[in-house]
Amino acid sequence: DTEVTQTPKHLVMGMTNKKSLKCEQHMGHRAMYWYKQKAKKPPELMFVYSYEKLSINESVPSRFSPECPNSSLLNLHLHALQPEDSALYLCASSLLPAGQETQYFGPGTRLLVL
Amino acid sequence: SQQGEEDPQALSIQEGENATMNCSYKTSINNLQWYRQNSGRGLVHLILIRSNEREKHSGRLRVTLDTSKKSSSLLITASRAADTASYFCATRFTRQLTFGSGTQLTVLP
């Protein structure tokens, strides 16, 4: 299995809703990442998990809450989002956190906040 | 924060032609990677070149790296309509990748 899966593919939520994005990989990778990508822009790093521990938080607002229950799963909990948070949310994984490896990306969750 | 700039921002060519995209970056790097993104989808890794390498090939792809100029180029030869996508360079220094601004390539049949 050489892919990263993300669910749901699309999500529409109101500003008072609570929702979660899910990411899964079964490649034995020990680093997992959340990126946010706005239209026609490059991905921007949000969080990095290394060996199931949060190692990088790029000053992301607390309305985004990541969780890594085990080495294969990564969640992003969303609460009280703003319309400007609408974007494509990409999950990625790599074999090791600080190595020279490439990152494998999931297809993304397209989020619309109304 | 965005590390690199890519040019051109957009490129439109005919099928069979070659496409060249350039990437400039600002800091020292361990490696530079190129990724492709089809419209609204995830990114796919294309090729990685290490800081001590100058050129690398993979199929129809050729990547060069000039660390003295802090720049890289991606050449796609004999382009196909299926190559239509956004192409991003990404530099790695410590623990994270930082993506350039991207080039939107359109290959016309």
Side-chain angles (χ1 to χ4, degrees), chain A residues 37 42 97 99-100 102-103 106, chain B residues 31 35 37 45 48 50 92 100:
Chain A
Q37 186 179 26
Q100 303 290 311
T102 63
Q103 291 185 13
Chain B
N31 65 58
Y35 287 80
Q37 184 177 36
H45 175 256
L48 179 153
R50 303 187 193 286
R92 184 170 199 128

Side-chain angles (χ1 to χ4, degrees), chain B residues 19-57:
Chain B
T20 300
M21 290 159 258
N22 302 297
C23 167
S24 60
Y25 57 92
K26 298 173 185 171
T27 66
S28 298
I29 60 171
N30 291 334
N31 65 58
L32 186 144
Q33 303 175 32
W34 285 89
Y35 287 80
R36 184 187 74 220
Q37 184 177 36
N38 289 83
S39 180
R41 307 290 302 272
L43 281 76
V44 174
H45 175 256
L46 295 176
I47 195 166
L48 179 153
I49 186 165
R50 303 187 193 286
S51 59
N52 61 352
E53 296 175 311
R54 291 296 167 258
E55 187 171 314
K56 202 159 185 182
H57 297 254

